Amino acid sequence: MNTNKLFNVLVPLISALIGLVAGALIMLGFGYNPIKGYAALWNGAFGDIYYFGETVRQVTPYIFTGLAVAFAFRSGLLNIGAEGQVIVGWLAAVWIGTTVEAPMIIHLPLAVIVAALAGAVWGFIPGLLKATRGVHEVIVTIMLNYTALYAANAIVRNVLSDNEDKTPDVAGTASLASEWFQNMTYFSRMHYGIFIALFTAVIMWFIIERTSLGYELKSVGFNEHASKYAGMNVKRNIILSMVIAGAFAGLAGAMEGLGTFGYMSVQSGFNNLGFDGIAVALLGANTAIGVVLAAILFGSLKVGGLNMPTEAGVPTELVDIIIALIIFFVASGYIIRWLLLRFKKEGK
Amino acid sequence: MGFVDLLQSIIPPALFFSAPLIFTALGGVFSERSGVINIGLEGLMVMGAFVGIVFNLAFADVFGGWTPWVSIIVAAIVSAIFSLIHAVAAVSFRADQVVSGVAINFLALGLGVFLTKQWYGKGQTDMVSQQFFTQDIPLLSKIPIIGEIFFQGIYLSSYLAIVLAFVAWYVLYKTPFGLRLRSVGEHPMAADTNGVSVYKMRYIAVILSGALGGLGGSVFALTIALNFSHATIVGQGFMSLAAVIFGKWHPLGAMGAALFFGFAQSLSVISGGVPLLEDVPQVFLLIAPYVLTILALAGFIGRAEAPRANGEPYIKGTR
């Protein structure tokens, strides 16, 4: 079905376009100049090499959380818990980064791996409960988000620091920060994590498209009962899917802890990397390449949006409205397909 | 500290924290009973909180002491209209309902903060002057013991929430309308064959969830937060969604779950004055509601049976 593949590309593209046009209309409605607004957005994301570095920095964790949501989605699970998985990953990475002493070749990989493991454990709990007790994964992941948030805050305050609001910086041997990137981008916080992110996207593509595990995961997502009848271990696949998804999100936390910030602070609320990951996964149609592209779009919008108040007077939140509308139209893909088909028929 | 004093220091705050969750969870029950998943409860609460606060600030002089009541009604109406977006997407456009709900969450927060900056020139509004106040219920508060625990220093909005839960139960289980609404969520095709308009019922259910979510958000804003910013509603909508599932999609069950969450949330606030709890580190009290929920689901409640057609768009004429 060639038209089907075409639609899979067209629907997100058209949705993104409609979202941007709607953003322009809103700017017009409130008396702003949309051309000036979007110019400010563009400058804020790619206007000079510093902003470019910051954009890459923001895209990095989005790729991971996007993959985390997308991977679970492929086997029919809704991972609302990326938020909490990011937090435990961040905490674990900083924990290793601040307390262990080792040469870089051991220290950095160890911190990254432990972060992934922490995220995996946070994904294992809802996976296990879903598989063995039939408990809805949405509710468990929501509860685990809060558990992670409050527990991490307490650990930052009482264990990793002496009653302070942030941990010490991670050791240089566990840092992803790159002097080379920083010098090149006028001291943006861009770090090596982007390579790990792109590599992980390839791994996800490989697992889903080229291994029998990926085939089973997809199969469970399409039809649990048929998969069971075909002799697949549905329970094991559900757990595995959540574990891998959790590991991806845990890595997003490592990016923040070892790359962007280099420490962890007490958080008054969620940082929304996980929830934004849902948007990234959806726009990316739950495929690895789609997630990378969607992460680039949302990362640029988010970083570029910060420049809109100063350069064009438009509140940053316009970006959130645009993102919301894009998701809305991706969801309503049916109506876009319908319109496209009509259009095509009349054209003939 | 006597036992009655203890209850008196626990129950009113528990009711206080529960009320917004009860309203919103009831909205979730209506929506999901009709077969439309509503992850957007959080966004509906945000919209309700935003409208409630803005209306309250603008009209405090006009309505005086009645301002909070008028505010929550206006918030309910506006959120009901806002929820139409979810209804159109989920019912008419056959959208993935989870996705559309996520969009609602993003949209409400974006719009709310955008308009706040537009109208007030800063990221958060001023504090409202006309909020809900605690009061003693006349007569009932005079009853010995029970009056002290349940009817003194209470927000009327908390009682409204509990009453509405029973109303929702009556509507869903004792009226023809409720039967139709549930049938549309269980087996839309069968309902359609019997002459029930699936689309109409689902639209009504989603709009009801919008109104109730708006009530929940505005009650939260006018009792607890007292202003609007990006951090006013942080996860209460998701808690309500959890209450829907925990309560097994039943209005009274959802109310019970919301009361439990409210009670658990109040624990960390009141622990200072309660013996036994005083010595427990704050963090355990903070995470207790969430961990307890997981344990309860895993241990006692087990498999949650959602309405059969939950999440499936209904397409007329297919089999």
Side-chain angles (χ1 to χ4, degrees), chain B residues 13-316:
Chain B
L15 288 174
F16 164 73
F17 278 102
S18 306
L21 301 180
I22 297 177
F23 285 120
T24 313
L26 290 176
V29 169
F30 274 108
S31 174
E32 304 220 339
R33 273 288 170 192
S34 81
V36 180
I37 292 181
N38 205 338
I39 302 262
L41 289 178
E42 174 91 359
L44 297 172
M45 279 187 94
V46 170
M47 191 45 74
F50 171 70
V51 175
I53 293 287
V54 169
F55 185 88
N56 195 304
L57 287 169
F59 289 95
D61 296 338
V62 182
F63 294 106
W66 286 100
T67 316
W69 293 102
V70 185
S71 303
I72 63 172
I73 292 168
V74 173
I77 293 169
V78 175
S79 298
I81 296 169
F82 181 67
S83 70
L84 268 175
I85 299 174
H86 186 49
V88 170
V91 183
S92 297
F93 288 1
R94 301 177 197 170
D96 184 318
Q97 297 168 2
V98 171
V99 182
S100 153
V102 171
I104 290 286
N105 290 340
F106 276 89
L107 190 59
L109 194 60
L111 270 178
V113 182
F114 180 85
L115 291 175
T116 302
K117 284 190 175 166
Q118 199 67 37
W119 292 340
Y120 299 92
K122 51 189 175 172
Q124 60 185 60
T125 67
D126 296 325
M127 300 302 252
V128 294
S129 55
Q130 293 289 347
Q131 65 198 70
F132 282 109
F133 291 104
T134 54
Q135 58 190 89
D136 297 347
I137 313 285
L139 292 178
L140 290 176
S141 61
K142 298 283 195 300
I143 303 171
I145 303 180
I146 293 176
E148 272 176 53
I149 297 169
F150 289 104
F151 299 108
Q152 287 181 6
I154 288 276
Y155 288 90
L156 278 181
S157 48
S158 305
Y159 283 110
L160 180 63
I162 293 169
V163 170
L164 265 185
F166 283 96
V167 172
W169 165 77
Y170 184 82
V171 168
L172 269 179
Y173 287 90
K174 302 288 170 197
T175 65
F177 168 80
L179 181 63
R180 288 193 198 116
L181 194 143
R182 283 183 293 129
S183 70
V184 156
E186 292 293 334
H187 203 312
M189 210 197 324
D192 195 5
T193 315
N194 283 311
V196 179
S197 167
V198 177
Y199 294 155
K200 194 177 102 189
M201 291 314 293
R202 287 189 170 176
Y203 263 95
I204 293 174
V206 174
I207 291 169
L208 273 177
S209 82
L212 286 162
L215 268 186
S218 56
V219 164
F220 182 88
L222 292 173
T223 51
I224 302 174
L226 306 183
N227 74 348
F228 180 81
S229 74
H230 71 97
T232 301
I233 303 290
V234 276
Q236 288 84 0
F238 286 110
M239 291 291 284
S240 308
L241 180 67
V244 173
I245 301 171
F246 202 172
K248 296 201 159 180
W249 291 269
H250 189 287
L252 300 181
M255 176 185 76
L259 280 172
F260 169 71
F261 289 145
F263 164 70
Q265 277 184 327
S266 71
L267 272 187
S268 61
V269 178
I270 58 173
S271 64
V274 180
L276 278 180
L277 291 181
E278 275 171 318
D279 303 326
V280 179
Q282 187 84 5
V283 59
F284 292 109
L285 296 174
L286 278 173
I287 64 173
Y290 313 110
V291 176
L292 284 175
T293 304
I294 294 173
L295 292 178
L297 285 170
F300 312 118
I301 315 241
R303 184 169 285 275
E305 287 291 348
R308 285 253 312 280
N310 214 10
E312 289 170 17
Y314 178 63
I315 302 164
K316 221 177 156 77

Side-chain angles (χ1 to χ4, degrees), chain A:
Chain A
M1 289 295 279
N2 259 336
T3 42
N4 230 347
K5 262 199 172 157
L6 189 67
F7 278 138
N8 283 345
V9 178
L10 269 182
V11 168
L13 277 181
I14 292 177
S15 303
L17 208 66
I18 299 179
L20 290 171
V21 170
L25 289 179
I26 294 172
M27 282 194 260
L28 271 179
F30 284 93
Y32 300 113
N33 179 348
I35 299 175
K36 232 174 126 187
Y38 278 131
L41 182 84
W42 177 266
N43 287 339
F46 305 106
D48 76 33
I49 193 83
Y50 169 80
Y51 286 126
F52 177 76
E54 281 294 298
T55 301
V56 174
R57 195 263 308 154
Q58 183 69 51
V59 168
T60 308
Y62 276 170
I63 293 179
F64 282 115
T65 52
L67 291 175
V69 177
F71 196 87
F73 242 129
R74 291 304 278 273
S75 38
L77 298 165
L78 180 57
N79 183 11
I80 304 263
E83 203 63 53
Q85 294 147 14
V86 169
I87 293 174
V88 295
W90 189 338
L91 182 73
V94 170
W95 200 322
I96 298 292
T98 52
T99 54
V100 172
E101 270 182 54
M104 192 164 199
I105 190 111
I106 298 168
H107 201 180
L108 182 56
L110 182 72
V112 171
I113 289 166
V114 172
L117 284 178
V121 169
W122 230 241
F124 172 74
I125 301 169
L128 179 76
L129 291 179
K130 169 93 181 181
T132 59
R133 311 280 313 178
V135 186
H136 207 300
E137 77 277 9
V138 166
I139 182 170
V140 178
T141 49
I142 291 173
M143 296 298 129
L144 282 177
N145 285 345
Y146 290 97
T147 311
L149 178 68
Y150 293 124
N153 279 349
I155 292 173
V156 166
R157 194 162 279 165
N158 302 323
V159 181
L160 292 180
S161 81
D162 209 6
N163 231 338
E164 284 177 49
D165 282 344
K166 73 186 256 308
T167 65
D169 286 346
V170 296
T173 46
S175 175
L176 278 169
S178 144
E179 233 172 78
W180 186 61
F181 275 156
Q182 283 174 354
N183 287 334
M184 220 169 58
T185 60
Y186 298 127
F187 300 98
S188 78
R189 290 173 292 172
M190 185 176 168
H191 54 81
Y192 286 125
I194 184 68
F195 296 122
I196 311 181
L198 293 174
F199 180 64
T200 310
V202 175
I203 293 180
M204 148 121 179
W205 170 83
F206 186 79
I207 295 178
I208 293 281
E209 303 298 342
R210 288 288 178 273
T211 65
S212 57
L213 168 68
Y215 179 81
E216 286 197 15
L217 290 176
K218 277 189 290 184
S219 165
V220 170
F222 282 127
N223 192 330
E224 214 175 281
H225 305 292
S227 310
K228 198 168 184 180
Y229 185 69
M232 296 176 192
N233 188 339
V234 173
K235 287 180 180 182
R236 194 196 61 145
N237 280 316
I238 285 176
I239 297 173
L240 210 54
S241 168
M242 281 306 290
V243 165
I244 296 176
F248 286 162
L251 286 172
M255 296 303 115
E256 300 299 277
L258 304 176
T260 306
F261 293 99
Y263 58 82
M264 184 164 194
S265 50
V266 171
Q267 295 172 333
S268 59
F270 294 121
N271 51 48
N272 281 335
L273 282 174
F275 292 125
D276 289 346
I278 302 175
V280 171
L282 296 170
L283 184 64
N286 300 323
T287 61
I289 175 80
V291 162
V292 172
L293 293 176
I296 292 172
L297 176 69
F298 285 158
S300 333
L301 282 174
K302 280 273 180 188
V303 172
L306 298 176
N307 191 40
M308 291 208 311
T310 43
E311 227 176 86
V314 184
T316 318
E317 283 67 27
L318 184 74
V319 162
D320 297 321
I321 300 176
I322 294 174
I323 291 181
L325 292 172
I326 294 176
I327 304 171
F328 178 76
F329 285 108
V330 171
S332 309
Y334 157 74
I335 205 78
I336 296 179
R337 274 160 212 250
W338 184 76
L339 285 172
L340 280 176
L341 279 174
R342 249 191 105 109
F343 185 67
K344 219 169 134 193
K345 266 186 206 157
E346 277 171 15
K348 261 180 191 171

